Amino acid sequence: MNDMTQSGDRLVVVSNRLPVVVKQVDGQWTFIPGSGGLVSALAPVLRNRGGIWIGWPGTSDADPATLSGLLREATRHSGYSLKPVALDQRDKEDFYYGFANEVIWPLFHDLQSHCNFAPRYWDAYNRVNRRFADVIMQNTRPGDFIWIHDYHLMSVGQELRAQGIAARMGFFLHIPFPPLDIYMKLPWRFPLLRALLEYDLLGFQTLRDRRNFLQCVRLIAPDLSVSGKGQVITIRVGNRELRVGTFPIGIDYQEFARGSKAEAVVRKARELHEDLPGRQVLLGVDRLDYTKGICHRFEAFRNALQRFPELHHRTTLIQVVVPSREDIPKYNALKMEMERLVGEINGQFTQSGWVPIHYIFRSLSRTELLAYYRACEIALITPLKDGMNLVAKEFCAATPENNSVLILSEFAGAAAQLQKGALLVNPYNVEEVAETIQRAIIMGPGERRARMHKLKRFVREYDIFWWVDSFLRAAIAKDLSNFPVPEE
Ligand code: GDG
């Protein structure tokens, strides 16, 4: 536990979404507690400190009295305070779907051609970031540490400074930070960079992202000076001094390792494999998103089936796609393209008793997800760009015997940490991915074991608790020399 956990400072976590979802079930308003690594890692710190989580509750339709009643109940349930930020329909369209997901999301994943730089989106971004700042100001006091998350809220720190905040503020970017040439396309590139410089601590997933950020800062601030080296450095720009670190996010390793041994999971995994006798099963699990490289992956699998006919009947690709952001036209178009490709490839290769691609378009229960991780020998995780990619880490933690292989895009943040155990590929190179699929399938048990051993060690050591702890320590540590880069 870090000093901040032990001292009297409260932690205030701010994210676009609260860790509960308020919604109507059978006509009754109710709340569903959030799960996932971030919530379980932050919850103990928030409980110990009497902390607060601020965010949008997931609905704009509940009346204020109902909402505050539900959040009071959710606060009792979670053990820390939940404070809502209201978003209306226009905010959802122009801030959430607009600036966050039609500007920053594609641009920061190097897909500038997917961007829609509508000027009204920037106004909405500032308006909503100011609203978050207002709620933070109403709920914090000077000794608190405010930890703001992700690309939806990059300007909140600047709004807080303008309102004279006394508390310290950290920001963590869960997605990549793009290279200079790409970042420069953003019409609001300079004000956004200046906003980021208002934090006391800035966190990125990888050294690559931090390097990209510093190159951009150099452009607006030729006087930038950098001191220290390693995981956390100090930069000075004009009269501002701040810390900038790399904190590759992890998972709750033990939870996945234990969960995958549960009886229901083992049974389900066995059933899945019995349905596919004698096959090596490849697995892809992704949110519906064009950054995840799902269509390129299908093309690579087709290429493998064309070039290595011995794979027919011997391998199956299970692709799980979780519905996401379907109100954005690009996402809907992607869904249609994926479904067209699956139909085409299955039409081309299916034979009696063998369908090459099993395509699942829905969210899986936790048990099902773990069963897929457990049942499949090869994870095929090929995003075109990804901040980290937690699925890669979850697969390593949940695969019980050391007989599995991880094929991973070199453009996922996770590749920096997992390069020694995974088979790294360029997802744009369908021939290379096809050859790597073939290589994984014929890989012997000795090499599989050695590689998976390294992967598990990394995922276990740098887990979600390490991540929370190292970010919070970096905010207050007197000596930054004790922060080794966790990816080399
Ligand atoms: C962003 C960044 C970064 C997926 N399908 C199901 C399901 N999932 C869960 C996985 C995993 C999570 O969703 C997906 O996390 P990723 O990291 O892969 O991707 P993003 O959602 O894009 O997350 C990313 C992350 O933030 C954290 O910083 O790694 O780069 O883009 O946890 O398990 N869960 C269940 N059913 C499913 O069908 N229950």
Side-chain angles (χ1 to χ4, degrees):
M1 282 284 157
N2 55 73
D3 298 343
M4 190 174 298
T5 319
Q6 285 153 8
S7 74
D9 306 335
R10 289 190 316 177
L11 176 63
V12 178
V13 175
V14 187
S15 61
N16 179 49
R17 296 288 291 262
L18 277 174
V20 293
V21 179
V22 172
K23 62 181 208 179
Q24 262 181 322
V25 178
D26 299 331
Q28 283 277 56
W29 282 103
T30 183
F31 73 90
I32 299 166
S35 55
L38 189 60
V39 180
S40 47
L42 287 171
V45 189
L46 287 164
R47 273 187 217 117
N48 290 346
R49 314 285 337 132
I52 306 175
W53 198 314
I54 294 170
W56 183 56
T59 179
S60 311
D61 300 333
D63 69 78
T66 308
L67 182 62
S68 59
L70 281 170
L71 290 183
R72 263 199 308 278
E73 207 182 318
T75 293
R76 272 196 300 280
H77 182 269
S78 60
Y80 51 87
S81 179
L82 297 162
K83 299 287 175 194
V85 178
L87 297 187
D88 62 23
Q89 191 54 33
R90 194 164 64 104
D91 298 330
K92 272 201 283 184
E93 278 163 23
D94 292 349
F95 155 75
Y96 179 71
Y97 288 119
F99 198 79
N101 285 316
E102 278 192 327
V103 177
I104 297 299
W105 178 268
L107 190 75
F108 280 33
H109 287 88
D110 303 351
L111 295 166
Q112 66 205 60
S113 60
H114 288 46
C115 292
N116 174 3
F117 294 123
R120 71 176 188 284
Y121 289 172
W122 174 241
D123 296 338
Y125 191 70
N126 287 313
R127 179 178 76 234
V128 172
N129 274 237
R130 202 169 308 126
R131 200 175 308 144
F132 271 80
D134 293 342
V135 178
I136 297 168
M137 285 304 276
Q138 286 153 18
N139 288 287
T140 50
R141 48 189 194 229
D144 294 343
F145 180 71
I146 302 168
W147 187 0
I148 294 163
H149 289 262
D150 226 358
Y151 63 103
H152 317 85
L153 303 177
M154 289 185 280
S155 297
V156 170
Q158 187 178 46
E159 297 291 345
L160 289 170
R161 284 262 183 253
Q163 297 191 31
I165 188 102
R168 287 158 304 154
M169 309 181 291
F171 175 84
F172 183 77
L173 185 68
H174 288 256
I175 66 172
F177 196 91
L180 176 68
D181 282 356
I182 291 180
Y183 183 78
M184 290 301 283
K185 307 286 185 326
L186 181 68
W188 309 279
R189 56 206 178 176
F190 298 139
L192 193 66
L193 273 181
R194 284 193 207 98
L196 284 169
L197 291 170
E198 291 294 338
Y199 290 100
D200 300 301
L201 170 64
L202 271 179
F204 296 96
Q205 297 271 25
T206 65
L207 285 175
R208 168 197 73 186
D209 302 312
R210 183 174 77 184
R211 204 177 308 122
N212 287 343
F213 171 72
L214 290 178
Q215 270 180 4
C216 294
V217 173
R218 240 176 223 112
L219 204 75
I220 57 163
D223 67 331
L224 168 74
S225 75
V226 176
S227 57
K229 51 183 187 207
Q231 192 194 351
V232 188
I233 56 174
T234 304
I235 68 169
R236 177 171 274 282
V237 182
N239 58 0
R240 276 213 50 70
E241 191 175 273
L242 61 145
R243 294 175 175 191
V244 188
T246 61
F247 306 93
I249 195 165
I251 60 161
D252 185 346
Y253 179 92
Q254 299 301 346
E255 168 80 19
F256 277 90
R258 237 190 343 261
S260 72
K261 296 189 186 89
E263 204 189 311
V265 172
V266 175
R267 194 178 336 112
K268 176 88 188 143
R270 199 180 312 120
E271 283 164 17
L272 286 172
H273 233 293
E274 278 165 7
D275 288 345
L276 301 164
R279 307 270 156 75
Q280 291 223 29
V281 187
L282 297 152
L283 175 69
V285 178
D286 307 86
R287 266 190 315 100
L288 174 67
D289 204 294
Y290 49 74
T291 62
K292 301 292 182 184
I294 305 167
C295 289
H296 294 73
R297 187 179 311 160
F298 287 151
E299 286 297 359
F301 189 57
R302 181 198 327 242
N303 189 282
L305 296 179
Q306 272 162 345
R307 288 167 61 208
F308 309 110
E310 66 274 20
L311 299 185
H312 299 187
H313 285 281
R314 261 188 81 190
T315 188
T316 294
L317 168 61
I318 298 181
Q319 177 63 56
V320 179
V321 180
V322 181
S324 174
R325 302 179 197 165
E326 280 171 278
D327 292 345
I328 299 177
K330 279 260 175 319
Y331 285 71
N332 205 27
L334 170 69
K335 177 169 186 269
M336 286 174 22
E337 177 58 10
M338 276 179 344
E339 289 172 359
R340 190 190 67 74
L341 267 177
V342 172
E344 197 176 277
I345 297 168
N346 280 343
Q348 198 176 346
F349 293 99
T350 295
Q351 293 167 20
S352 163
W354 175 61
V355 179
I357 303 179
H358 292 205
Y359 170 71
I360 301 163
F361 185 76
R362 63 180 163 84
S363 183
L364 303 178
S365 70
R366 179 87 170 175
T367 301
E368 283 178 299
L369 180 68
L370 287 171
Y372 278 106
Y373 286 156
R374 196 183 163 98
C376 300
E377 285 85 359
I378 302 167
L380 186 55
I381 300 177
T382 54
L384 305 179
K385 187 117 186 212
D386 218 331
M388 178 54 54
N389 195 296
L390 296 180
V391 171
K393 294 187 171 183
E394 292 167 1
F395 175 76
C396 296
T399 189
E401 290 107 33
N402 291 340
N403 70 345
S404 313
V405 185
L406 172 63
I407 300 177
L408 180 62
S409 163
E410 62 190 82
F411 306 127
Q417 284 182 300
L418 304 182
Q419 55 185 311
K420 295 207 178 84
L423 299 179
L424 293 192
V425 291
N426 170 359
Y428 290 99
N429 185 343
V430 291
E431 291 192 325
E432 182 198 34
V433 177
E435 285 152 21
T436 309
I437 290 172
Q438 151 83 344
R439 182 178 163 200
I441 285 172
I442 60 175
M443 188 185 283
E447 185 178 352
R448 287 182 180 211
R449 203 172 304 116
R451 285 177 175 276
M452 191 46 75
H453 184 73
K454 287 189 193 134
L455 291 169
K456 279 179 181 279
R457 190 165 52 78
F458 242 106
V459 178
R460 190 169 50 230
E461 193 166 335
Y462 297 105
D463 66 2
I464 186 73
F465 302 101
W466 169 86
W467 178 78
V468 169
D469 189 62
S470 65
F471 189 89
L472 294 180
R473 268 192 310 121
I476 56 168
K478 297 222 165 31
D479 177 11
L480 291 179
S481 62
N482 201 13
F483 282 84
V485 179
E487 57 186 63
E488 282 158 353

